[in-house]
Amino acid sequence: MTDQTSALEFSHSGVFPETASVEFLIEQASDIAVHLSSAGVVEGIYVSPESPSLGCLDHWVGRSFHSFLNEESKEKFDIRLAQFRKNASETSVAVELNHSDNADWEFPIRYAMLRVRNSDALMLIGRDLQPLAEVQQRLVHEQLARERDQQRIRRAETFYRVVLEASETALVLVDPETGRVRDINSVASTMLGAKGDTLPGNTFNQAFQGLRRGELMEALQNASSSDETRSIQAVARRSGLHVAIFPEFFRAAGELCMLCRLAKVDEDDPGGTEIAMALGSLFNTSTDAIVILDAKSQIREANDAFLTLADAAQFRDVIGSGFAGFLVRGEVDMQLMMEAAVRDGRVRSYTTQFKSTVGTRASVDISVAMLKTGNKERGFGMIIRDVSQNARAAENLPQAVVSEDALQNVMDLVGTASLKELVSATSDVIERICISTALEMTKNNRVAAAEMLGLSRQSLYVKLRKFEMLNGNPDE
């Protein structure tokens, strides 16, 4: 007895249902059943009504089974069929095929390839894999979506980390429930005298002298809800610095968090923090225009009063602009004020003309102070007062000295010559007045005076010799 005979006898031992019952079982157990001839032609086909996505496949009958497979599945089917027919002991083989119908319609089927008794024909019992493929596709989409979410989270974490470390303000993120440090930037670590990786996970109170966890958290809670005292002060355990802690509570995804801003407090001035806050309030609410310039005379900070004076709508319209652009005499005034501020540390009063962004002019009185932190220069601070409606603005202008002889000579000409001749004769007097005024305003800086008068340096020297104003020496 051959192996094939044994296999056939083994597979049919016992009681086997009638043919009609077998057909019923095939219909109930499969989504699709295909009867192939020995030549691979579809002789019969059954599609379960439970698989409407497969549609009606009656047009397969009488046509090659190959014509309804995509290129990859044709090769796979031929290989498995050759193996199945070569090994007579095998009664069934499983194979997954992708069908292609109507050019653009594809669906996957998992077939069990069965022999037909006493024939080279085949029976293919298939299960529709489309629901499984759809589930797999959803899983793939879900995995891709999770990867995109993880990338967004990584980008957000990177952005958070870069911003935290780039900040010049000392910042500490604290869990308000446990009092433990969640995160801290390098500026705060340096201020507290600790390495950045040692504080996260430890309680915040351990960074300060003589503070218990409950005591510190209660004080921070009270400070955050107070309208007057917005901070508490403590001494850093490692660095010994007096530190002001400004707490701010917020919620992130429903979780309560606390961000603490740290600032150094001058030991000789325990109220320094309150004074700084008061000065900030004065800066914002002052009716006089106040600007802070950097070392290049560009505007770094400005209050609302300056925006009003400059006819500017927003801070970004003036921040970073050169202050000289708002002065009618531009760099001339700017140079005079800066030189005086560097030399004397301050300028009490400098009267000039201010030009707004729309071209309107106003007489202003400017006070300048040089800003320093220790021995390091930080720029300049200016207070600008509008004195257009104040008569004292004219009184503050430098007065030119005109000799009585020059005025008497002009008066003697009245009645003896025409107005045109009088104007021509008095032009020297006017020139002398203007030159004297410019020299007075520039503190005898002839280069600045020439620029102010719109003259070349050589032309100014010619006129100074003419009026004998070269330090009283006509030959200089």
Side-chain angles (χ1 to χ4, degrees):
M1 184 173 60
T2 64
D3 294 339
Q4 182 177 3
T5 304
S6 299
L8 292 175
E9 289 179 356
F10 176 78
S11 62
H12 288 83
S13 63
V15 179
F16 199 73
E18 298 294 332
T19 303
S21 299
V22 172
E23 293 177 353
F24 175 77
L25 290 176
I26 290 175
E27 292 177 356
Q28 296 299 317
S30 64
D31 295 323
I32 181 173
V34 183
H35 181 205
L36 297 183
S37 68
S38 59
V41 177
V42 178
E43 294 186 350
I45 190 168
Y46 163 78
V47 178
S48 172
E50 302 295 330
S51 301
S53 61
L54 298 179
C56 180
L57 304 180
D58 294 348
H59 59 285
W60 285 22
V61 177
R63 299 175 64 181
S64 172
F65 186 68
H66 250 230
S67 61
F68 301 104
L69 298 175
N70 62 17
E71 294 300 325
E72 180 183 354
S73 294
K74 288 178 181 178
E75 183 179 357
K76 182 191 295 185
F77 177 70
D78 291 340
I79 293 174
R80 297 307 299 273
L81 179 60
Q83 293 174 348
F84 182 62
R85 286 179 172 172
K86 183 178 179 180
N87 191 353
S89 62
E90 285 187 309
T91 58
S92 67
V93 171
V95 61
E96 292 183 6
L97 303 175
N98 285 322
H99 286 289
S100 177
D101 198 2
N102 295 330
D104 58 352
W105 180 37
E106 292 190 6
F107 53 92
I109 301 292
R110 179 180 176 84
Y111 286 106
M113 190 181 299
L114 304 176
R115 302 179 187 276
V116 177
R117 179 181 293 182
N118 300 325
S119 172
D120 290 334
L122 296 174
M123 178 64 70
L124 302 181
I125 307 300
R127 298 295 298 180
D128 186 7
L129 297 181
Q130 289 184 89
L132 178 61
E134 292 175 357
V135 172
Q136 291 176 337
Q137 189 68 24
R138 286 197 296 269
L139 291 175
V140 170
H141 290 164
E142 180 66 23
Q143 180 64 26
L144 293 175
R146 293 185 62 180
E147 290 179 358
R148 288 193 296 269
D149 291 340
Q150 291 175 355
Q151 290 177 355
R152 283 194 292 266
I153 293 173
R154 284 195 295 269
R155 284 197 296 268
E157 289 178 348
T158 302
F159 178 78
Y160 154 76
R161 176 59 53 190
V162 170
V163 171
L164 185 67
E165 287 300 320
S167 175
E168 296 182 358
T169 304
L171 299 174
V172 184
L173 190 63
V174 181
D175 187 336
E177 294 184 359
T178 63
R180 295 186 180 274
V181 176
R182 288 186 171 182
D183 210 341
I184 184 172
N185 64 0
S186 56
V187 180
S189 298
T190 302
M191 185 179 297
L192 297 177
K195 295 182 179 180
D197 56 351
T198 60
L199 289 178
N202 293 326
T203 54
F204 192 35
N205 65 292
Q206 292 180 0
F208 305 100
Q209 297 179 6
L211 287 178
R212 296 182 179 179
R213 181 174 60 180
E215 178 185 356
L216 176 61
M217 300 309 296
E218 183 179 359
L220 292 175
Q221 178 71 39
N222 294 335
S224 66
S225 58
S226 174
D227 295 332
E228 298 180 358
T229 305
R230 302 289 297 176
S231 67
I232 67 170
Q233 296 186 10
V235 179
R237 185 186 301 275
R238 294 182 177 88
S239 65
L241 292 177
H242 289 257
V243 178
I245 309 174
F246 297 84
E248 181 178 349
F249 287 84
F250 64 95
R251 288 193 178 274
E255 183 180 1
L256 185 63
C257 303
M258 179 173 61
L259 180 66
C260 293
R261 178 172 58 87
L262 310 183
K264 295 180 182 179
V265 178
D266 190 350
E267 295 182 5
D268 297 331
D269 183 14
T273 304
E274 286 80 3
I275 293 177
M277 296 176 62
L279 290 176
S281 177
L282 177 63
F283 176 85
N284 293 323
T285 59
S286 174
T287 56
D288 289 332
I290 303 177
V291 292
I292 305 299
L293 308 182
D294 59 19
K296 296 181 180 179
S297 300
Q298 293 182 337
I299 298 176
R300 192 170 63 191
E301 295 289 346
N303 64 354
D304 290 331
F306 181 80
L307 295 184
T308 302
L309 181 63
D311 291 327
Q314 304 178 59
F315 284 102
R316 65 183 182 186
D317 296 335
V318 298
I319 299 300
S321 302
F323 186 73
F326 292 96
L327 301 176
V328 173
R329 289 192 290 264
E331 292 296 340
V332 175
D333 281 339
M334 201 69 211
Q335 182 180 357
L336 293 173
M337 287 189 292
M338 295 301 101
E339 287 179 353
V342 172
R343 182 180 64 250
D344 304 328
R346 68 192 67 183
V347 176
R348 184 181 299 275
S349 176
Y350 187 91
T351 303
T352 185
Q353 290 285 316
F354 186 89
K355 179 177 63 177
S356 71
T357 57
V358 296
T360 58
R361 298 186 179 189
S363 296
V364 294
D365 185 79
I366 304 177
S367 298
V368 186
M370 192 172 186
L371 305 179
K372 290 185 177 182
T373 301
N375 295 325
K376 188 174 182 180
E377 297 180 1
R378 296 292 185 180
F380 302 89
M382 289 187 172
I383 299 177
I384 308 165
R385 302 177 185 86
D386 186 352
V387 294
S388 299
Q389 305 300 325
N390 195 336
R392 289 180 299 177
E395 298 176 359
N396 290 335
L397 290 174
Q399 301 297 317
V401 179
V402 183
S403 67
E404 295 183 2
D405 292 339
L407 293 175
Q408 188 63 44
N409 291 337
V410 174
M411 295 173 61
D412 291 343
L413 292 175
V414 178
T416 63
S418 64
L419 178 61
K420 182 177 181 180
E421 293 173 338
L422 290 174
V423 171
S424 177
T426 57
S427 61
D428 288 348
V429 177
I430 301 301
E431 280 190 0
R432 184 183 180 94
I433 293 173
C434 292
I435 293 172
S436 179
T437 302
L439 290 173
E440 181 70 21
M441 291 180 65
T442 60
K443 299 185 183 300
N444 207 34
N445 187 327
R446 294 170 185 174
V447 176
E451 187 174 351
M452 183 180 294
L453 294 170
L455 298 174
S456 67
R457 186 176 179 182
Q458 186 62 33
S459 298
L460 178 62
Y461 272 80
V462 170
K463 294 182 181 298
L464 290 175
R465 287 192 183 92
K466 176 182 177 181
F467 299 123
E468 298 181 354
M469 298 174 64
L470 286 172
N471 297 328
N473 185 1
D475 297 330
E476 185 178 331

